[in-house]
Amino acid sequence: MSEGVSASGERSVAAGGDIGWVHTGDRVTALPPEALGPVVCPPGLVNVPRKAAHFVGRGEEGDLLDREPETVVISGLGGVGKSSLAARWALRQAADRNPVWWITAESRADVDAGLAGLAAAMQPALIDVLPQEALRERALQWLSAHDGWLLVLDNVTDPGDVEGLLARTGGRGRVVVTSRTTDAWYGIGRVLTLPVLPAADAVELFTRVATHAGPRDTTGAERLCETLGQLPLAVEIAAAYCGRTATPPLDYLAELGGRPGDAEGAVARTLRVTLDRLAASDPRAGELLRLLAWFGPDRIPVLLLPTGARHALGELAAHSMVTLHEDGSVSVHRLVQAAARRADPGDPHREPGMVEAAREAAEAAIVEAMPWDTHAPARWETCRLLMPHIEAYLRHADREGDGLRLVKRLLAVGAYLTASGAPEETARALERALAGAERLFGSRHSFTLGVRVVLLGVAGSPEEGVALVKDMTEEFGADHGVTLMARRALATAYRKTDRVEETLALYEELVADLTRILGPGDRNTLGVLAELTTVHALANRGAGAVEAGAHATAGLWALLGGEHLETLEARINLAGLRRAAGETDRAVADYRELLPVCVRVLGEDHPYTRHLTRLLADFTS
């Protein structure tokens, strides 16, 4: 590891050398002038995937959606058409509602990313300017203050992931949720359980898709649809194959084999028949589908697609295996992904070696697409595009297979998530990076120790920090940059406890050493000094704390600007020191000056904004 590695801010840790350059501290950039006015939703703002070109039936369900004024949860089997119904109905609402916005909501992180995307679509000047947390908050503020909008939250797995959103925005617009979960929705919304298609509707769907390009023999469509369980997804894939290849349903049924079974089994059988056919016309089709199975289902960006894949994608789309979008991105149904991702030695398209090769290709694509310098606002839009697919890969892939390049990239993922105000997601990414480092190098290797430093600064305990500082001192020496990093992270961990005297001793010793090694005007020295002044206040040692806090704040302001998060932290701390020293009027004036800055830059939900709001409410009550 190299010396001179630095970071600052309460949650900041950096690591250099053979870890690359990692910074898990926050970075906030002031808004450009054109983005400082109120958020105005442009007319006709619609973001809804066209889930079903051929849609049949569901008239009663559509009528219920029309009539129901509150949140509706469309529930049912995978592949039954929940998302297709929601998309069809949402597009019909676009003439009367604005915006009509679709959010893939498999996790709380997905919900936050979708809200951030809405804010960026309303106010494009914010793209690559604000972190995700601030964008999310701006969207929530707008939704909670306006009527006439529609949100679709697709594939919610845990109702708790959307409860906060519904609580903030309830009653102002319409929300439709799709979910395989049928329970736990009491008090949240009305549940509409979607069954498989009636036999007649399933045959109609088959006929429409199979005869789309011209007349086809549909004799035996009833028996084929029955074998497929009348599951819309499986029926559509089979119909696309029959239409594309002029295969009669009874011949397809003979190729398909099997009896009516579970949803994934029906899709897996249709998958095999289609890929048998595509193996002759484009051998890359199966390889590409297995790759796509490791990413998120919606709008897999071009960044993750291999070069020269357009013909194979076209073949998959023609067989209803994927959906192509105008921006070049690709969507795949979750059930198709699940089938393609599940190894089956008896299926020539899903042999274990093939599935593992696809996982490795997906990992390599993520490594190539994810930027290193994720602390830079110019990279945030790329990160936003990639995060749903990185998170999906991490859910599906066994961590025992993580390679070194992915482990290193997880540090960049952690840096972006920290800047986005997502501490839980940050900790998960860094914990996985640490597990990979320990497996690849062992617990004492310099890379592993560096990852431990990064994680300690985000979610470590004092006990973990003491052990880490001991390890770093033995490995690199007391004055090495990474040892100083570890000591600052340890002080941060203590600062979150009530062990004031120990915290104070750590900070005072660290400030003295940083001043000696890096100089009094170094960013790290100033940042730690600003933190030390607040610990002095906690220890009732306020003499000189205001002067020291003012010095640190002025230095950080000169280096980083008045609206950088580290400077805002120091300014808030300084106002608190003035209040504790009896300078109440000056402290209140500082709080009043800071609150609109924090609302604008960080959002109303940021801890600093809430803290200032409470303080000012106390002063005026």
Side-chain angles (χ1 to χ4, degrees):
M1 286 190 168
S2 63
E3 300 207 35
V5 180
S6 63
S8 48
E10 181 174 329
R11 298 188 301 279
S12 302
V13 176
D18 51 5
I19 253 183
W21 187 267
V22 178
H23 185 288
T24 61
D26 299 272
R27 180 183 180 97
V28 179
T29 303
L31 294 176
E34 63 269 27
L36 297 180
V39 178
V40 177
C41 182
L45 184 59
V46 178
N47 170 45
V48 177
R50 297 184 180 274
K51 291 283 185 181
H54 304 279
F55 189 89
V56 299
R58 308 303 194 193
E60 292 183 9
E61 291 85 353
D63 290 342
L64 185 148
L65 289 169
D66 287 336
R67 295 192 309 269
E68 181 60 47
E70 304 297 333
T71 297
V72 174
V73 181
I74 306 173
S75 178
L77 291 170
V80 81
K82 302 181 296 295
S83 299
S84 294
L85 172 61
R88 177 87 167 191
W89 183 80
L91 287 170
R92 291 205 334 251
Q93 306 305 304
D96 302 315
R97 294 184 177 275
N98 189 49
V100 176
W101 197 257
W102 186 281
I103 295 177
T104 299
E106 293 186 67
S107 67
R108 188 165 302 182
D110 289 338
V111 175
D112 290 347
L115 289 169
L118 172 59
M122 289 181 176
Q123 206 167 10
L126 299 179
I127 296 175
D128 288 340
V129 172
L130 288 185
Q132 180 174 292
E133 180 185 30
L135 289 171
R136 164 190 168 276
E137 177 59 27
R138 291 176 78 87
L140 283 171
Q141 289 178 20
W142 190 93
L143 292 169
S144 63
H146 293 81
D147 301 317
W149 46 263
L150 168 64
L151 288 182
V152 179
L153 307 176
D154 187 41
N155 200 43
V156 176
T157 55
D158 181 356
D161 292 339
V162 299
E163 282 182 332
L165 185 159
L166 296 175
R168 286 280 300 273
T169 61
R172 300 309 301 257
R174 282 293 307 274
V175 178
V176 171
V177 174
T178 75
S179 178
R180 296 188 192 184
T181 302
T182 58
D183 55 4
W185 293 106
Y186 179 77
I188 297 176
R190 174 170 179 175
V191 176
L192 167 60
T193 302
L194 201 63
V196 297
L197 287 172
D201 287 347
V203 171
E204 182 182 350
L205 174 61
F206 179 93
T207 303
R208 284 189 186 183
V209 175
T211 61
H212 177 68
R216 291 288 185 268
D217 179 4
T218 60
T219 305
E222 298 88 346
R223 284 181 55 194
L224 176 55
C225 290
E226 181 185 4
T227 300
L228 295 173
Q230 292 156 210
L231 188 73
L233 175 64
V235 169
E236 186 171 351
I237 292 173
Y241 178 93
C242 291
R244 182 82 168 172
T245 63
T247 301
L250 293 177
D251 291 350
Y252 184 91
L253 190 58
E255 288 187 61
L256 186 67
R259 298 178 179 178
D262 66 283
E264 189 173 327
V267 172
R269 293 198 302 276
T270 58
L271 191 73
R272 176 170 179 172
V273 172
T274 298
L275 291 180
D276 280 345
R277 167 79 181 189
L278 292 181
S281 61
D282 193 330
R284 294 192 64 187
E287 176 185 338
L288 183 58
L289 189 64
R290 290 188 294 272
L291 168 71
L292 297 176
W294 293 96
F295 302 133
D298 293 323
R299 292 192 175 273
I300 300 167
V302 175
L303 282 169
L304 293 174
L305 302 179
T307 57
R310 298 314 299 178
H311 182 266
L313 284 172
E315 287 293 299
L316 289 171
H319 286 82
S320 293
M321 306 297 280
V322 304
T323 300
L324 305 181
H325 303 286
E326 292 181 359
D327 61 0
S329 62
V330 183
S331 295
V332 193
H333 195 283
R334 295 172 185 86
L335 214 54
V336 171
Q337 288 183 306
R341 208 169 48 238
R342 187 181 65 191
D344 181 354
D347 186 335
H349 308 292
R350 295 186 293 141
E351 294 175 356
M354 291 179 170
V355 173
E356 175 59 16
R359 185 202 63 77
E360 292 175 354
E363 178 180 303
I366 288 170
V367 168
E368 293 300 322
M370 186 69 187
W372 266 117
D373 53 342
T374 51
H375 64 281
R379 302 288 185 265
W380 286 350
E381 181 59 22
T382 298
C383 295
R384 271 195 285 271
L385 285 174
L386 293 174
M387 280 312 303
H389 307 290
I390 294 174
E391 289 170 348
Y393 174 84
L394 295 177
R395 284 197 302 270
H396 298 316
D398 186 345
R399 64 175 57 197
E400 292 299 312
D402 291 349
L404 176 58
R405 296 178 69 208
L406 177 66
V407 170
K408 288 184 175 182
R409 274 301 191 275
L410 288 176
L411 298 171
V413 169
Y416 169 71
L417 289 171
T418 299
S420 298
E424 293 179 6
E425 291 82 359
T426 302
R428 283 200 295 269
L430 295 178
E431 285 165 358
R432 180 143 177 174
L434 179 59
E438 290 176 337
R439 175 174 49 82
L440 292 167
F441 298 114
S443 61
R444 298 286 300 179
H445 190 276
S446 59
F447 181 84
T448 307
L449 292 173
V451 179
R452 287 177 63 193
V453 170
V454 178
L455 183 56
L456 174 62
V458 173
S461 69
E463 292 72 25
E464 293 169 331
V466 168
L468 179 58
V469 170
K470 181 176 181 291
D471 288 344
M472 301 301 271
T473 302
E474 292 175 356
E475 188 77 22
F476 303 108
D479 289 351
H480 194 284
V482 292
T483 306
L484 294 172
M485 268 191 337
R487 290 172 61 191
R488 183 171 185 179
L490 171 61
T492 299
Y494 267 100
R495 194 179 176 203
K496 298 172 185 176
T497 72
D498 58 0
R499 297 154 72 172
V500 176
E501 292 300 326
E502 293 169 274
T503 305
L504 185 61
L506 286 169
Y507 268 112
E508 287 179 336
E509 184 179 357
L510 182 57
V511 167
D513 287 344
L514 287 171
T515 302
R516 172 176 55 84
I517 298 166
L518 301 178
D522 182 82
R523 172 177 171 179
N524 291 275
T525 307
L526 293 168
V528 175
L529 178 61
E531 295 169 12
L532 170 60
T533 58
T534 64
V535 182
H536 274 140
L538 290 173
N540 295 317
R541 299 182 186 179
V546 172
E547 182 179 353
H551 169 75
T553 301
L556 290 171
W557 197 319
L559 287 172
L560 306 173
E563 294 185 352
H564 191 285
L565 187 60
E566 290 178 49
T567 310
L568 288 175
E569 288 174 348
R571 292 171 65 186
I572 294 170
N573 290 340
L574 176 59
L577 292 171
R578 285 173 171 153
R579 179 188 181 191
E583 301 177 27
T584 306
D585 291 343
R586 178 64 186 275
V588 172
D590 288 347
Y591 291 145
R592 285 176 175 158
E593 180 181 347
L594 281 161
L595 180 58
V597 177
C598 288
V599 169
R600 172 167 51 82
V601 176
L602 304 176
E604 287 187 355
D605 259 4
H606 194 280
Y608 294 156
T609 308
R610 294 198 302 266
H611 174 64
L612 291 171
T613 302
R614 286 194 299 269
L615 286 173
L616 286 172
D618 290 342
F619 278 116
T620 57
S621 61

